[in-house]
Amino acid sequence: MDLSILLILILLSLVVFAALFFLQSWTSPKTMDKIPGSLGWPIVGESFSFLSDFASPSGIAGFMKKRQHRYGKVFKTFVLGRFTVFMTGREASKILLTGKDGIVSLNLFYTGRQVLGPNSLLHTTGEAHKKVRRLIAEPLSVDGLKKYFHFINNQAIRTLDNWLGRTVFVLEEASTFTLKVIGNMIMSLEPEGEEQEKFRSNFKFISSSFASVPLKIPGTAFYDGIKARDRMYSMLDSIISRRRSGQSFQQDFLESLIMKHSTEGDGENTDDKLTDSQLKDNILTLLIAGHDTTCATLTWVIKFLEENPNVLEQLREEHAQIQSKRTDGETNLTWSEVNSMHFTNKVINETLRQSPVLPWLSRKAVQDFEIDGYKIKKGWSINLDVGSIHHDPEIFSQPQKFDPSRFDAPVKPFTFLGFGSGPRMCPGMNLARIEICVFVHHLVTRYKWRALEKDESVQPTLVQMPRNKYPIVVDQL
C-alpha cells in the first residue's frame, strides 16, 4: 500500500477515534465526574474487561474487586452500552431497593427483556408492577404452597434414592429436582414423560440465553432461547385453551390464575385480570425465577455443610429431634415439621450471605437523584454490590466464617439481601425455603457425602453457581 494512503488512513482513524471519545465524553454527564472510575475506551468502554472477568473462575466479583481496590467502594464504568455506577452499603441498599418516590426501576439486560417479554413482573414498573405482583402473590404464599408439599417431599425422596453408590453432580441434580417441582406446581406437569422432556429442553435453552450475546442469528444462544420461548408459549396456549374449554382441570398455579385473574384474549384488562400475554410472560418469569436461584442455593448449602462439619452436626441434631417427636410409627415429613426447622433456615440465610446467588442487584435511574453524596443522572445504571454488603465486617463480624448463629437475632434492615428487599423482594422466597428444607431433611437424615474436588470457581452466568457443578460421592449414613 502506498505510504501516503496509509498515512491518510491512520489520520482518519485517529480522527474517528477522537470523535468517538469526545462523543462519549459529551454524553456522559459532567456531574458524574466526581464519581471515581473509568469509562474506558470509546463505544466499548470496559466491556471487554467485564466479559473477561465474567467468564473467569472468580466471576464478576473479580471485575468489581479490582476497581474497588483502585477507586473505592463506589466507582463508575461503561459496560455493554451502559453508563454504570457500582455501589455498596446499607444506605444505598435502602434507597435503591425501596425505589423511594419512583427514582429507580429494575434494570434487565436486553436479552432478559426480550426473552421474558414486556409484561413480565421483572420488566413492569409502578402500578402495573403492583397489580401483577398482587395477582400472583396468593398462590406463592405459605398457605398457597401447602397443596404442593407432598409432591415436593416425594420428589426429594425420589431424587436422593438415586444418589447412593455413584458420583453425583449436585447442581445438575438440584436443577432437575427444582424444575420438576416448579413445572408441576405451575402446570401440573408429571415428573417423567414426553411433556416433561420437552419442557425441560425448552427451559434449558431459555435459561442459557440470559447471559448470551444478543444476536438473533440461527445457531446463537439468544436465537435458540427466543425459539424455545415461543415453543413454551405454544405449550401454554394449548394448556390454557383446554382448561377454558373444560377439557382439563388441575388444582395448580395456572388454574388459579385462569379462574380468578384471567381474561381471554389480549384486549383491555380490568384491575383484577391478566391478559393471556401477561399470563404467559409471568408464568415464564416464575419458571426462571423459581428454578435458577433455588437450585444454585441448594447446591451451595450442600457444599458449605460438607466444608463445615460442626454446622452439619448441629443441623443433623435438629432433624433427629424432628424425627424423635413422631408418634404411632409415622415416618413421613409433615408440613408442621418444616415450619419448625429454625436452624435449617439460618443455614440457608448464611449460605446466601456467604455466596449470594445474585452478586449484584441492578437498577436504572428514572430521574436525577443523590445517594451517599453522589449525584446520579437519569438513565444511568446503578448496581448494588450485594457481596460487599454481605462481607462488610462492620455489619457481619468475621464475614469469611460460615456461622449460621449470626442469624439468631434479626439483622438490620437492608443488610441481608439473600432474597432481595423492598417491593421487588423475590416472590418465590417461601417456595425456595420449603424446597431446600425438605431436601436437606432427607439428605442429612439418610446420607453422608464427600466432595470430589475443591474448586471455588463459578460459572459465567448471571446466577452464581459452582463451575464444576459440585461433584460428590454419597454413602449411607
Side-chain angles (χ1 to χ4, degrees):
M1 181 181 294
D2 185 86
L3 181 60
S4 60
I5 296 176
L6 179 61
L7 289 173
I8 291 172
L9 289 175
I10 292 174
L11 182 61
L12 287 174
S13 298
L14 290 172
V15 170
V16 171
F17 183 87
L20 292 174
F21 180 81
F22 284 116
L23 176 63
Q24 179 165 309
S25 299
W26 178 75
T27 56
S28 172
K30 295 301 180 183
T31 54
M32 304 295 279
D33 289 346
K34 295 181 180 179
I35 300 179
S38 171
L39 299 181
W41 294 92
I43 304 304
V44 298
E46 294 191 302
S47 298
F48 292 135
S49 296
F50 181 86
L51 293 172
S52 176
D53 285 329
F54 186 67
S56 71
S58 61
I60 193 59
F63 178 86
M64 291 188 284
K65 286 180 180 178
K66 291 174 188 175
R67 282 150 186 80
Q68 286 174 348
H69 179 73
R70 190 181 309 163
Y71 304 116
K73 292 295 185 181
V74 177
F75 65 89
K76 66 184 175 186
T77 183
F78 182 79
V79 293
L80 305 180
R82 293 179 172 185
F83 291 108
T84 302
V85 176
F86 280 89
M87 308 196 80
T88 187
R90 185 176 173 225
E91 185 62 24
S93 173
K94 179 179 179 181
I95 292 174
L96 295 176
L97 299 185
T98 58
K100 183 181 178 183
D101 301 325
I103 62 174
V104 295
S105 63
L106 198 65
N107 195 27
L108 290 177
F109 279 109
Y110 174 81
T111 49
R113 295 198 304 270
Q114 293 299 307
V115 172
L116 292 179
N119 302 297
S120 168
L121 180 69
L122 299 181
H123 191 50
T124 53
T125 59
E127 292 302 316
H129 174 264
K130 291 179 182 178
K131 171 192 169 181
V132 173
R133 190 176 179 97
R134 173 174 55 82
L135 295 183
I136 69 173
E138 182 183 335
L140 290 173
S141 67
V142 173
D143 288 338
L145 293 171
K146 282 184 180 179
K147 60 185 174 184
Y148 309 111
F149 172 73
H150 290 297
F151 181 88
I152 295 171
N153 187 53
N154 292 335
Q155 196 58 48
I157 294 172
R158 291 193 189 102
T159 300
L160 287 165
D161 280 344
N162 295 318
W163 281 25
L164 197 62
R166 68 184 182 91
T167 298
V168 173
F169 289 88
V170 175
L171 183 63
E172 291 182 349
E173 296 288 313
S175 174
T176 299
F177 165 68
T178 54
L179 197 55
K180 287 182 177 181
V181 168
I182 198 73
N184 181 268
M185 188 189 94
I186 288 179
M187 60 185 80
S188 296
L189 279 181
E190 293 297 325
E192 309 294 338
E194 184 179 351
E195 283 294 294
Q196 175 67 220
E197 290 305 312
K198 289 180 180 178
F199 170 72
R200 289 170 60 190
S201 175
N202 287 329
F203 182 87
K204 287 179 180 179
F205 281 119
I206 294 169
S207 183
S208 298
S209 69
F210 272 76
S212 65
V213 178
L215 295 176
K216 199 174 180 181
I217 302 172
T220 63
F222 182 57
Y223 178 88
D224 291 342
I226 293 293
K227 290 298 181 183
R229 189 274 314 274
D230 293 343
R231 292 193 296 271
M232 186 79 80
Y233 280 7
S234 293
M235 179 189 297
L236 284 170
D237 282 333
S238 178
I239 295 173
I240 292 170
S241 178
R242 292 198 304 270
R243 301 277 181 97
R244 284 202 177 115
S245 66
Q247 298 177 44
S248 174
F249 176 82
Q250 298 287 346
Q251 290 188 334
D252 54 25
F253 186 92
L254 181 59
E255 190 75 33
S256 68
L257 289 181
I258 291 174
M259 292 182 66
K260 293 183 180 180
H261 305 302
S262 172
T263 177
E264 190 170 357
D266 291 323
E268 184 177 351
N269 44 318
T270 60
D271 288 342
D272 63 346
K273 299 291 182 180
L274 296 173
T275 65
D276 283 2
S277 291
Q278 291 174 318
L279 193 64
K280 290 184 292 186
D281 283 356
N282 285 288
I283 288 293
L284 181 58
T285 298
L286 291 174
L287 287 171
I288 295 291
H291 170 266
D292 287 11
T293 54
T294 304
C295 76
T297 304
L298 178 55
T299 304
W300 289 118
V301 165
I302 295 172
K303 181 178 186 293
F304 284 129
L305 287 174
E306 193 272 343
E307 293 173 350
N308 297 272
N310 59 322
V311 176
L312 175 57
E313 185 59 33
Q314 191 172 348
L315 188 70
R316 287 194 200 278
E317 290 176 5
E318 176 173 80
H319 290 271
Q321 287 179 8
I322 289 173
Q323 289 180 314
S324 68
K325 293 177 182 178
R326 294 172 184 165
T327 57
D328 301 325
E330 180 62 50
T331 60
N332 289 328
L333 183 66
T334 65
W335 177 262
S336 61
E337 288 173 344
V338 172
N339 290 327
S340 70
M341 296 179 184
H342 304 301
F343 185 72
T344 306
N345 275 286
K346 294 174 189 176
V347 169
I348 295 172
N349 286 348
E350 179 65 354
T351 297
L352 289 169
R353 185 201 67 80
Q354 187 77 270
S355 186
V357 292
L358 294 175
W360 82 83
L361 303 174
S362 187
R363 299 292 185 263
K364 184 177 182 179
V366 297
Q367 63 185 36
D368 294 354
F369 68 96
E370 187 171 319
I371 182 170
D372 277 349
Y374 296 103
K375 293 182 178 179
I376 308 296
K377 296 297 291 184
K378 178 180 177 180
W380 274 61
S381 299
I382 311 103
N383 289 346
L384 183 67
D385 181 3
V386 176
S388 292
I389 296 173
H390 283 188
H391 287 81
D392 185 342
E394 293 185 6
I395 300 174
F396 298 104
S397 63
Q398 296 181 281
Q400 299 306 320
K401 181 181 179 181
F402 190 82
D403 182 14
S405 67
R406 67 176 80 248
F407 289 95
D408 287 348
V411 297
K412 292 181 179 180
F414 303 103
T415 58
F416 172 64
L417 307 174
F419 292 99
S421 191
R424 289 191 180 273
M425 179 177 280
C426 176
M429 176 178 65
N430 294 322
L431 173 62
R433 286 193 182 276
I434 291 169
E435 288 180 276
I436 296 171
C437 284
V438 170
F439 199 95
V440 164
H441 172 78
H442 295 295
L443 174 65
V444 302
T445 56
R446 296 172 57 191
Y447 301 105
K448 57 184 177 180
W449 65 98
R450 174 174 56 85
L452 293 177
E453 296 178 11
K454 296 295 183 182
D455 186 357
E456 303 303 319
S457 302
V458 297
Q459 292 188 12
T461 52
L462 296 178
V463 174
Q464 189 165 264
M465 305 178 184
R467 187 181 288 263
N468 66 354
K469 302 179 182 179
Y470 191 53
I472 61 173
V473 289
V474 180
D475 295 310
Q476 201 79 43
L477 189 61

